[in-house]
Amino acid sequence: MKAAQITSFGAADVLQINDVDRPAPGAGEVLVSVEASSVNGHDVIVRAGEVKMISGRRFPIGVGLDFAGVVAATGAGVEGYRAGDRVWGMVHPRQRHSVAGAAEYVVVPAGRISAAPVDLSSVEAAALVVAGSTALIALRDSVHLADGERVLVRGAAGGVGTAAVQLAHAMGGHVTALARDRHAELLTDLGADEVLDYRSTTSDQIGPFDVIVDTVGTELHCYRSRLAKGGRMVTVGLSPSALAAIAASSVHGSRRIRTFSANPETPVLRAVADHVTSGALRPVIDSVYPLADIAAAHQAFERGGVVGKHVVTVPRSSV
């Protein structure tokens, strides 16, 4: 089968589509025939060698954090899934994988998948696995958004940002989206009550907010100052400066800056699917690339300016 892998750390051109043995599911595992994956920040930093403590230095290393497709086979002891079921899920972000989501087949524990929303294609589903799960965990579990609270979503046009705008709106928040002006119509349609251009709006011109969801990872101390009394802030845009700001904020009680590593298992994936089924959440896709062009998808991600997600399709015999 074909799988996207790296044999050295570096820029997007180190990505290769290699012929590898098709894996077989062990006890408690599921073999998924992958139809689509997406490009995430995690994929890029693994490829660039920024998380060697997780990925290790033993090559090849598979890329692709998420996937959507069809169950091909199940291992011993797996209940609730059978061949032909449409599913979505993630490989474990803190483990090394020689084959990951950007491959024709991937093996994962059954607890890392769930039934994909029936109304979504695999391309659409792949755009929501990480984005939807991250936004849901941020709003529901990290900052505990309550009905009627004022929410700022920073980096609102990206994958997590567009999901966060929709979910915050569905949870009853009054949503301010910080993004480029040209994305105002889309973000308003997704549920934003107000859209501000980040290029002409400084942190001291806005707020206060009860909740801030940051996907950028810079100037966190400036935005934290815009929290109301009892306000909560979470960032998923980690960088050295973000980590310093998180540490410096830890003495500030509820106004500390929270963060987490999204690692959704079946219950979270089911909850995201429920939001899709209810109409509260829909995918936003910037562009679609075949597996053979995954390097171009990574390059587009790194250029920035994305609206939603870059998705990679995985046809059989793709190269």
Side-chain angles (χ1 to χ4, degrees):
M1 71 170 197
K2 306 294 184 182
Q5 297 177 314
I6 59 171
T7 56
S8 64
F9 296 120
D13 57 6
V14 303
L15 285 161
Q16 301 176 11
I17 308 301
N18 294 328
D19 289 306
V20 302
D21 291 336
R22 181 172 131 174
E29 294 181 330
V30 177
L31 175 69
V32 177
S33 174
V34 179
E35 295 178 343
S37 181
S38 79
V39 181
N40 297 281
H42 177 273
D43 306 315
V44 171
I45 64 175
V46 167
R47 188 210 73 219
E50 296 177 17
V51 285
K52 296 184 182 75
M53 291 288 289
I54 296 171
S55 67
R57 301 169 182 266
R58 183 162 56 91
F59 297 102
I61 297 173
V63 297
L65 186 59
D66 52 26
F67 56 86
V70 177
V71 173
T74 59
V78 173
E79 298 180 354
Y81 299 104
R82 60 184 180 181
D85 288 346
R86 303 198 66 80
V87 296
W88 62 358
M90 273 179 57
V91 300
H92 198 298
R94 295 189 293 276
Q95 294 179 357
R96 179 192 175 278
H97 303 277
S98 60
V99 173
E104 291 187 336
Y105 293 88
V106 66
V107 165
V108 292
R112 302 199 62 81
I113 65 171
S114 83
V118 295
D119 293 332
L120 297 186
S121 67
S122 288
V123 168
E124 292 170 324
L128 275 178
V129 177
V130 170
S133 299
T134 302
L136 180 63
I137 294 169
L139 289 163
R140 185 190 68 181
D141 303 332
S142 184
V143 297
H144 306 288
L145 176 64
D147 184 37
E149 289 193 308
R150 297 157 294 177
V151 185
L152 173 69
V153 179
R154 187 170 175 235
V160 175
T162 51
V165 167
Q166 295 177 76
L167 291 176
H169 172 74
M171 296 166 73
H174 182 280
V175 184
T176 297
L178 199 58
R180 290 189 180 229
D181 225 16
R182 68 171 183 259
H183 305 318
E185 183 176 354
L186 168 66
L187 291 168
T188 300
D189 186 52
L190 294 177
D193 298 283
E194 182 180 26
V195 181
L196 302 176
D197 192 327
Y198 76 88
R199 296 168 300 176
S200 58
T201 305
T202 59
S203 59
D204 58 0
Q205 295 175 315
I206 57 177
F209 299 99
D210 301 298
V211 164
I212 297 176
V213 177
D214 171 84
T215 73
V216 181
T218 60
E219 300 181 279
L220 298 186
H221 63 289
C222 296
Y223 284 92
R224 184 176 63 80
S225 70
R226 309 316 300 157
L227 288 172
K229 183 178 180 179
R232 292 90 65 204
M233 180 175 179
V234 60
T235 182
V236 298
L238 294 185
S239 64
S241 64
L243 294 173
I246 291 165
S249 76
S250 62
V251 298
H252 293 281
S254 70
R255 297 176 71 224
R256 73 186 186 279
I257 303 172
R258 299 159 168 83
T259 191
F260 60 91
S261 175
N263 185 22
E265 296 185 339
T266 299
V268 171
L269 294 167
R270 285 175 176 164
V272 175
D274 288 343
H275 282 292
V276 173
T277 300
S278 74
L281 181 63
R282 70 178 193 259
V284 178
I285 297 172
D286 186 290
S287 52
V288 179
Y289 297 81
L291 181 63
D293 292 337
I294 191 171
H298 274 232
Q299 290 166 344
F301 180 93
E302 292 178 291
R303 283 195 297 270
V306 61
V307 182
K309 297 287 290 187
H310 296 299
V311 177
V312 175
T313 58
V314 188
R316 299 284 79 78
S317 301
S318 47
V319 292

